[in-house]
Amino acid sequence: MAANTPDDNTPDDNTPEDLSDDVLDADDDAGSSLPPAAGPLAYTVPEAAAGQRLDKALAAGLPDLSRSRVQALLEQGCVRGDGRTITDASLRVKPGQTFEVQVPGAEAAEPVAQDIPLDVVYEDADVLVIDKPAGLVVHPAAGNPDGTLVNALLAHCGDSLSGIGGVRRPGIVHRLDKDTSGLMVVAKNDRAHHGLSDQFSDRTLSRTYLALVWGVPNPTQGRIEGNIGRSSADRKKMAVVTGGGKPAATKYRVVKSFGMAASLVECVLETGRTHQIRVHLTHIGHPLVGDPLYGRGRSGRPGGKFASLLPEPVRGRLVGFPRQALHAAALTFRHPISGEIVAFRSSIPTDIDELIVTLESL
């Protein structure tokens, strides 16, 4: 089975395994796209939370739920305490009180087929490899009911995808964030879906990412390890946490540096947690250029001290880059039906490449 031609801008893929960033993994990413309702979540009020509002206490005690989500669940009658249903978010809690929160299962929503162009790298009767552009959401969700990769896949593949991997995410076994570009593999039947999901689970599917980051990591190659969970400071973010979270490890290698201001880094994930590359590189002080969520660093300014090392207008171009400079550049897996090892590469997209050319010209 032929692979696409390697690109001169991407380093050789010498990595044995990977999952994904933005990018969920076997724990987050493969498997059913429509999880059933879980059992009720139990929360007992500690002494430290005495007198707090119920919504605030539950959000703090159940870190997977935001405060607004807790408020919505209260309004829907999904919270019980003292043997009754509680809907008052402002109720003041007492130490030792126990509350149960029933989080409903996701509701199925049938995506519609939409004729959205796809960059198809490879396709056969079982799998489809596409090069996703930045800006394309992978599957429908709140705020993005259509115009997604799933909508495009339904138009491209027809009814053959129906039900493969669940109603909301037919054929999807992993994802990339909206503003991350690069290679994705899609299953076209149940057997292929199960085979690819197994490879995510046992870490035998390999993906390599390229990231343009602020500064130059020291040492220039290594391994970042740290559990990733919801940030206690900002619930929209993930973070390296000292308690809880999921184990995560990222291998990295500096491919090219541009003075001390920025560098092109190759990343391989030993696990694949939500936003893993973005979180781990930020954790060691080198956030991705253009990252709207993690890119401001401790200074609160995009690029921080590293941006100040660049002259204008180069500094402005990097600071104003409209997305995280992250690209899924290489993909290797065992074909789920034939068993053959197949490998694909994707060129660095024009917008990131133009930044690199600008940095090289200094």
Side-chain angles (χ1 to χ4, degrees), residues 85-106:
T85 298
I86 298 175
T87 58
D88 183 6
S90 64
L91 177 73
R92 299 294 172 173
V93 300
K94 301 174 183 178
Q97 277 185 300
T98 297
F99 297 90
E100 289 189 347
V101 181
Q102 181 66 60
V103 181

Side-chain angles (χ1 to χ4, degrees), residues 21 103 245 259 326:
D21 175 45
V103 181
L326 182 64

Side-chain angles (χ1 to χ4, degrees), residues 43-191:
Y43 170 70
T44 300
V45 180
E47 288 286 346
Q52 286 186 356
R53 285 172 55 104
L54 176 59
D55 57 349
K56 181 178 180 181
L58 287 176
L62 301 173
D64 287 338
L65 301 178
S66 67
R67 191 168 177 179
S68 61
R69 179 65 168 140
V70 168
Q71 291 169 347
L73 291 169
L74 283 161
E75 292 176 2
Q76 295 165 18
C78 296
V79 180
R80 289 184 61 81
D82 298 329
R84 62 189 177 91
T85 298
I86 298 175
T87 58
D88 183 6
S90 64
L91 177 73
R92 299 294 172 173
V93 300
K94 301 174 183 178
Q97 277 185 300
T98 297
F99 297 90
E100 289 189 347
V101 181
Q102 181 66 60
V103 181
E107 295 181 3
E110 194 78 45
V112 297
Q114 292 179 301
D115 188 12
I116 300 169
L118 290 175
D119 184 355
V120 178
V121 175
Y122 173 81
E123 182 175 12
D124 61 21
D126 305 295
V127 299
L128 179 72
V129 177
I130 63 110
D131 198 339
K132 187 187 87 67
L136 180 64
V137 175
V138 170
H139 55 78
N144 293 102
D146 56 18
T148 70
L149 175 61
V150 162
N151 300 108
L153 289 171
L154 290 172
H156 181 84
C157 300
D159 294 337
S160 64
L161 280 186
S162 179
I164 305 300
V167 175
R168 292 182 307 157
R169 295 172 60 189
I172 303 296
V173 290
H174 66 104
R175 80 176 190 204
L176 297 177
D177 275 348
K178 173 184 177 181
D179 289 327
T180 297
S181 55
L183 296 170
M184 290 184 61
V185 58
V186 175
K188 296 177 68 176
N189 54 58
D190 274 325
R191 186 179 173 193

Side-chain angles (χ1 to χ4, degrees), residues 3-332:
N4 56 323
T5 304
D7 171 64
D8 291 339
N9 290 323
T10 56
D12 290 338
D13 183 6
N14 56 4
T15 56
E17 60 185 24
D18 161 67
L19 277 177
S20 66
D21 175 45
D22 315 333
V23 175
L24 309 169
D25 85 320
D27 298 323
D28 302 321
D29 189 21
S32 172
S33 65
L34 189 60
L41 304 175
Y43 170 70
T44 300
V45 180
E47 288 286 346
Q52 286 186 356
R53 285 172 55 104
L54 176 59
D55 57 349
K56 181 178 180 181
L58 287 176
L62 301 173
D64 287 338
L65 301 178
S66 67
R67 191 168 177 179
S68 61
R69 179 65 168 140
V70 168
Q71 291 169 347
L73 291 169
L74 283 161
E75 292 176 2
Q76 295 165 18
C78 296
V79 180
R80 289 184 61 81
D82 298 329
R84 62 189 177 91
T85 298
I86 298 175
T87 58
D88 183 6
S90 64
L91 177 73
R92 299 294 172 173
V93 300
K94 301 174 183 178
Q97 277 185 300
T98 297
F99 297 90
E100 289 189 347
V101 181
Q102 181 66 60
V103 181
E107 295 181 3
E110 194 78 45
V112 297
Q114 292 179 301
D115 188 12
I116 300 169
L118 290 175
D119 184 355
V120 178
V121 175
Y122 173 81
E123 182 175 12
D124 61 21
D126 305 295
V127 299
L128 179 72
V129 177
I130 63 110
D131 198 339
K132 187 187 87 67
L136 180 64
V137 175
V138 170
H139 55 78
N144 293 102
D146 56 18
T148 70
L149 175 61
V150 162
N151 300 108
L153 289 171
L154 290 172
H156 181 84
C157 300
D159 294 337
S160 64
L161 280 186
S162 179
I164 305 300
V167 175
R168 292 182 307 157
R169 295 172 60 189
I172 303 296
V173 290
H174 66 104
R175 80 176 190 204
L176 297 177
D177 275 348
K178 173 184 177 181
D179 289 327
T180 297
S181 55
L183 296 170
M184 290 184 61
V185 58
V186 175
K188 296 177 68 176
N189 54 58
D190 274 325
R191 186 179 173 193
H193 189 274
H194 292 152
L196 290 170
S197 295
D198 287 345
Q199 291 180 60
F200 274 94
S201 297
D202 62 20
R203 317 298 193 208
T204 55
L205 184 148
S206 172
R207 280 186 292 172
T208 300
Y209 289 77
L210 289 175
L212 186 64
V213 308
W214 290 106
V216 183
N218 183 23
T220 56
Q221 63 180 13
R223 185 174 183 267
I224 309 166
E225 187 172 8
N227 283 22
I228 290 179
R230 186 73 60 183
S231 169
S232 59
D234 185 344
R235 300 193 64 81
K236 294 180 181 179
K237 293 184 178 181
M238 307 301 287
V240 173
V241 295
T242 54
K246 294 180 178 180
T250 304
K251 294 178 181 178
Y252 73 89
R253 176 175 70 89
V254 174
V255 177
K256 184 179 295 186
S257 58
F258 309 99
M260 296 303 295
S263 55
L264 182 65
V265 178
E266 176 190 87
C267 296
V268 177
L269 285 75
E270 296 179 13
T271 57
R273 309 306 180 196
T274 302
H275 296 176
Q276 181 171 322
I277 290 174
R278 299 163 67 186
V279 170
H280 269 174
L281 288 175
T282 298
H283 181 67
I284 64 170
H286 299 283
L288 272 66
V289 169
D291 194 325
L293 196 57
Y294 302 100
R296 293 185 177 273
R298 295 170 184 164
S299 69
R301 302 186 307 275
K305 64 181 180 181
F306 300 114
S308 65
L309 300 176
L310 293 171
E312 289 292 0
V314 177
R315 180 193 310 162
R317 291 193 62 184
L318 267 71
V319 167
F321 195 65
R323 70 172 180 104
Q324 63 262 15
L326 182 64
H327 182 65
L331 173 66
T332 302

